[in-house]
Amino acid sequence: MRKGAPVGGKLGLDARTVARARRLAAAAGKPVVDLAKTHTTVAVERATLRLAGITGADPDGIPWVNRLVDAVAADVGLGHGVAVPVFDALLRDGHADLTLLAQKAAAGSVHFEVPNPGQQGRARRAATAAVRRGITRIDRRRRERDRLIARHGDPQQRPWIYLIVATGDIYEDIPQAQAAARAGADVIAVIRSTGQSLLDYVPEGATREGFAGTYATQENFRLMRAALDATSKEVGRYVRLTNYASGLCMPEIAALAGLERLDMMLNDSMYGILFRDINPIRTFVDQRFSRQIHARAGIIINTGEDNYLTTADAVDAAHTVTVSQLLNEYFATEAGLETWQLGLGHAFEINPDLPESFRLELAHALLARELFPGAPLKWMPPTRHMTGDVFRGNLLDGFFNLAGALTGQGILLVGMMTEAVVTPWLSDRDIALQNVRYVLRAAGNLHEDFTPGSFIQNRAATVLREAVALLERIVDDGLLDAIADGTFGIMRRPADRGRGLDGVARREDGYCNPAEEILEGGVR
């Protein structure tokens, strides 16, 4: 391949190679986008009705939106979308609201139908008006964030310091999150209860019992956002809130996040496929809709490439991380996200016993930084090679922090020296934050002086070449086949298997989804 001019930066990346990588990522991703545009899922339809105002759950804790969508699917399927059948029944039978309609549908006293095209106008207009009210609320929450950032300010340093709380009890999470913000955390992530990604419904209300995390619910979002707003005023900077829009309810959680003004959401295009065995088609349909909502809400997504390196070797599989980042960039921008919203993930996961491991980490981190110069890259700490030796762990975290400072990362997840031992104590977090603060204060602007040598430049060029070669194979074979073959994270996930496949439907002629129409139209 004939070389082009180098890309601006420290690595001297070949401009033509970088441009080819992006073209290949788009070519690999487009068939998946086309697939998403011709299918819908139960989660997409539920998210649409949540935007239209349905709330609450039955006595068993199953949300009324699930009951309503299931009833529509049983009568007429999902291929036409649920908006027209639902609002046709609402108007035809004179029900007071969607929640009451859902209650009657669950009791079997409502029959749904798809009116003839010439008779759908009233139902379509009512559905669009209801959904627009939900999206208008998301717009209002985005403007509210902008005002609070203007009032309180952003953190003075980059990377932003990102810290996880995870007690299982939202009322315990709140004081821990506030304490972390006072100690220097800029972003608080409330990690979800183990297994929530496999629930095909979103729990309701404030929750106090979780497993290694706290359930993602609208009320929990509201409570934590209000608490961090109070702390933002106290500490004089806007403290961002993160949760997880992944799993079988990805679109619904994205909608709830927008309604409650969350600021970042974990939202990877392939994480659920690879690590939760969720059907690939279900995941790609859901992620496109969820990213359209994130784009509208001004939410920064965090992708999950770091997870690949917990199952595959961080050196041998480095190029698969780059390929995934390029695919995530394509899928995100196609859905309407802007570059400043792309928290593309990568991690410090090379075996520390490997000679030159730190130089390799710098090469990989700097490659990501220069491939995506405007993106707030999310830099993840070591986990795979944490042994329980807390002194060694704290040292590794210090090198991780230094690599983040040297390569200008955007978001730095605080590493814990007790990783693989216990859920961190508050004192563990204090020590970890001390580590981060020391490195960022002592070396926070060292990236301005850092000049990588030929070893780092050559390694970055090698990873980029390997990424291009892999993308060429994916374009030839298809992304779904590449996933089925175990290309990413050495996990094999065929497109005709996996959880949630029964919740996918091909769109029929006349499919109607007012939320998608509004989001794609870009009308505010």
Side-chain angles (χ1 to χ4, degrees):
M1 181 186 298
R2 183 182 172 188
K3 289 190 175 183
V7 175
K10 301 176 186 298
L11 293 175
L13 298 175
D14 179 63
R16 291 190 180 183
T17 303
V18 171
R20 177 164 175 73
R22 283 198 161 86
R23 287 196 302 271
L24 289 167
K30 187 177 184 303
V32 172
V33 170
D34 293 341
L35 185 72
K37 288 180 176 180
T38 57
H39 289 75
T40 188
T41 73
V42 289
V44 167
E45 302 302 325
R46 293 193 303 249
T48 301
L49 293 182
R50 285 184 180 275
L51 291 170
I54 190 169
T55 59
D58 69 12
D60 294 324
I62 302 302
W64 288 121
V65 71
N66 285 64
R67 297 298 193 195
L68 184 53
V69 169
D70 289 349
V72 174
D75 283 352
V76 297
L78 295 178
H80 292 89
V82 301
V84 168
V86 163
F87 279 86
D88 173 72
L90 188 75
L91 297 170
R92 183 184 68 233
D93 299 334
H95 299 289
D97 56 39
L98 291 178
T99 302
L100 183 59
L101 175 67
Q103 293 167 353
K104 292 188 175 182
S109 58
V110 178
H111 175 72
F112 295 97
E113 57 188 54
V114 180
N116 292 328
Q119 299 174 322
Q120 292 183 10
R122 188 166 170 239
R124 282 177 176 259
R125 288 192 296 273
T128 299
V131 170
R132 190 181 298 279
R133 285 192 291 273
I135 294 176
T136 297
R137 180 178 168 188
I138 289 176
D139 294 341
R140 188 163 59 246
R141 301 312 301 268
R142 178 173 180 168
R143 292 192 297 271
E144 186 178 65
R145 179 194 299 117
D146 292 342
R147 287 195 301 270
L148 289 171
I149 292 173
R151 180 183 306 163
H152 300 311
D154 265 328
Q156 293 183 357
Q157 91 294 322
R158 279 295 186 102
W160 289 340
I161 301 171
Y162 177 117
L163 192 137
I164 291 173
V165 298
T167 70
D169 181 343
I170 188 62
Y171 294 105
E172 291 292 331
D173 288 341
I174 286 171
Q176 288 205 17
Q178 291 178 312
R182 294 183 188 110
D186 305 311
V187 182
I188 300 295
V190 183
I191 198 168
R192 289 192 306 182
S193 180
T194 298
Q196 184 176 354
S197 60
L198 301 182
L199 296 180
D200 213 346
Y201 67 94
V202 180
E204 285 281 325
T207 62
R208 307 201 68 168
E209 294 182 357
F211 305 92
T214 303
Y215 285 104
T217 75
Q218 184 170 6
E219 179 63 6
N220 285 348
F221 289 174
R222 186 191 69 80
L223 289 168
M224 184 61 80
R225 180 66 273 166
L228 292 180
D229 281 350
T231 306
S232 296
K233 182 177 180 180
E234 175 188 338
V235 301
R237 68 181 189 284
Y238 183 71
V239 180
R240 286 169 169 80
L241 175 59
T242 301
N243 213 283
Y244 295 70
S246 59
L248 292 170
C249 293
M250 186 191 306
E252 294 176 85
I253 293 176
L256 297 177
L259 291 169
E260 299 302 335
R261 192 172 34 87
L262 273 69
D263 307 289
M264 294 185 189
M265 295 297 284
L266 277 289
N267 187 237
D268 186 73
S269 63
M270 293 188 285
Y271 173 84
I273 301 168
L274 301 175
F275 299 101
R276 294 295 180 265
D277 195 19
I278 297 173
N279 175 260
I281 299 173
R282 170 75 177 263
T283 298
F284 283 121
V285 176
D286 285 350
Q287 70 90 23
R288 183 172 188 267
F289 187 85
S290 67
R291 288 183 176 191
Q292 289 178 314
I293 293 175
H294 291 327
R296 184 75 176 224
I299 288 172
I300 296 171
I301 65 167
N302 295 168
T303 61
E305 285 82 5
D306 56 286
N307 293 282
Y308 303 174
L309 305 183
T310 63
T311 53
D313 182 79
V315 176
D316 295 342
H319 63 296
T320 68
V321 169
T322 302
V323 168
S324 178
Q325 290 168 336
L326 288 162
L327 289 169
N328 261 310
E329 178 190 47
Y330 169 73
F331 289 135
T333 54
E334 188 280 330
L337 287 155
E338 298 181 44
T339 300
W340 65 266
Q341 294 176 279
L342 305 185
L344 302 172
H346 57 142
F348 190 94
E349 290 285 15
I350 296 174
N351 185 345
D353 294 330
L354 185 71
E356 308 287 3
S357 64
F358 186 66
R359 296 172 79 192
L360 290 168
E361 294 282 15
L362 289 176
H364 297 174
L366 196 56
L367 174 62
R369 177 70 286 162
E370 296 200 358
L371 282 177
F372 310 99
L377 301 181
K378 185 182 177 188
W379 183 226
M380 300 289 286
T383 58
R384 183 175 182 177
H385 298 288
M386 298 291 271
T387 63
D389 179 339
V390 296
F391 302 103
R392 180 176 184 268
N394 201 37
L395 178 64
L396 280 179
D397 286 336
F399 272 77
F400 156 76
N401 295 332
L402 180 59
L406 279 171
T407 57
Q409 300 301 306
I411 304 164
L412 184 146
L413 195 150
V414 177
M416 295 291 158
M417 66 283 191
T418 48
E419 180 76 38
V421 182
V422 296
T423 299
W425 298 93
L426 289 175
S427 56
D428 299 337
R429 292 190 179 123
D430 286 342
I431 293 170
L433 284 168
Q434 287 175 18
N435 189 324
V436 174
R437 286 197 301 267
Y438 168 71
V439 172
L440 293 186
R441 287 173 181 167
N445 293 319
L446 192 56
H447 63 90
E448 297 175 1
D449 306 314
F450 173 52
T451 304
S454 58
F455 177 94
I456 291 173
Q457 292 173 321
N458 290 340
R459 174 59 187 168
T462 297
V463 173
L464 181 58
R465 285 196 302 271
E466 291 174 349
V468 168
L470 176 56
L471 281 165
E472 290 171 341
R473 294 200 298 274
I474 292 173
V475 170
D476 290 340
D477 299 339
L479 180 56
L480 293 179
D481 285 343
I483 293 170
D485 291 341
T487 300
F488 301 97
I490 61 175
M491 309 297 283
R492 298 178 184 272
R493 303 300 190 200
D496 59 352
R497 300 180 189 175
R499 298 176 174 92
L501 177 59
D502 57 350
V504 179
R506 180 177 289 278
R507 297 184 184 185
E508 304 285 348
D509 290 341
Y511 172 82
C512 174
N513 186 318
E516 184 178 84
E517 293 169 8
I518 295 169
L519 294 168
E520 290 190 349
V523 178
R524 297 202 180 277

